[in-house]
Amino acid sequence: MPTLRLLHICAIGACAFASLPVSAEALRCGNNLVSPGDTKMTVIQKCGEPARKDYLCKRQRSYARLADGVETEPVLVTVCDQVEEWTYDAGPGTFLTVLRFEQNELKSVLYGDRSN
């Protein structure tokens, strides 16, 4: 009976793991390959424009400062590093691919759900 329970737990874990985006080392665009370390310009030259671009704030730090003027209550200030995520869609049945850029450099390649 304990073996059956362990098998059941492993099956649930495998299903949960399978639904997560998969990290990859590179993205193939035709005969070209882009990988972490490439610049945005290199990626556009090799893969073309993405289907979608998202701009995110990667929180670097937050701190409180006094507000200007008469106010004496602290104001929360957040300093962000700009992060861009580009999504490529190669067509129905293929995996959506998300490229994450920080400071103009490709940092990661993630494969998500299948395209419709």
Side-chain angles (χ1 to χ4, degrees), residues 47-54 85-90 96-97:
C47 298
E49 287 291 330
R52 177 182 172 148
K53 290 183 182 181
D54 292 303
E85 288 188 345
W86 293 5
T87 303
Y88 283 89
D89 183 353
L96 293 174
T97 306

Side-chain angles (χ1 to χ4, degrees), residues 84-114:
E84 288 185 50
E85 288 188 345
W86 293 5
T87 303
Y88 283 89
D89 183 353
T94 62
F95 290 102
L96 293 174
T97 306
V98 178
L99 306 182
R100 178 173 273 219
F101 294 89
E102 294 179 24
Q103 298 177 350
N104 195 42
E105 182 182 319
L106 180 59
K107 292 293 185 180
S108 64
V109 178
L110 298 171
Y111 290 104
D113 296 333
R114 287 193 184 270

Side-chain angles (χ1 to χ4, degrees), residues 38-78:
D38 287 346
T39 64
K40 289 189 271 188
M41 182 59 71
T42 300
V43 173
I44 288 175
Q45 288 172 343
K46 291 181 178 182
C47 298
E49 287 291 330
R52 177 182 172 148
K53 290 183 182 181
D54 292 303
Y55 301 90
L56 310 167
C57 167
K58 179 180 175 186
R59 187 181 319 197
Q60 191 179 60
R61 65 181 180 278
S62 296
Y63 61 92
R65 70 168 177 82
L66 295 180
D68 296 333
V70 186
E71 297 285 330
T72 57
E73 293 183 26
V75 175
L76 185 64
V77 176
T78 301

Side-chain angles (χ1 to χ4, degrees), residues 22-39:
V22 177
S23 180
E25 295 294 321
L27 169 65
R28 180 169 299 284
C29 298
N31 293 330
N32 300 309
L33 200 62
V34 295
S35 56
D38 287 346
T39 64

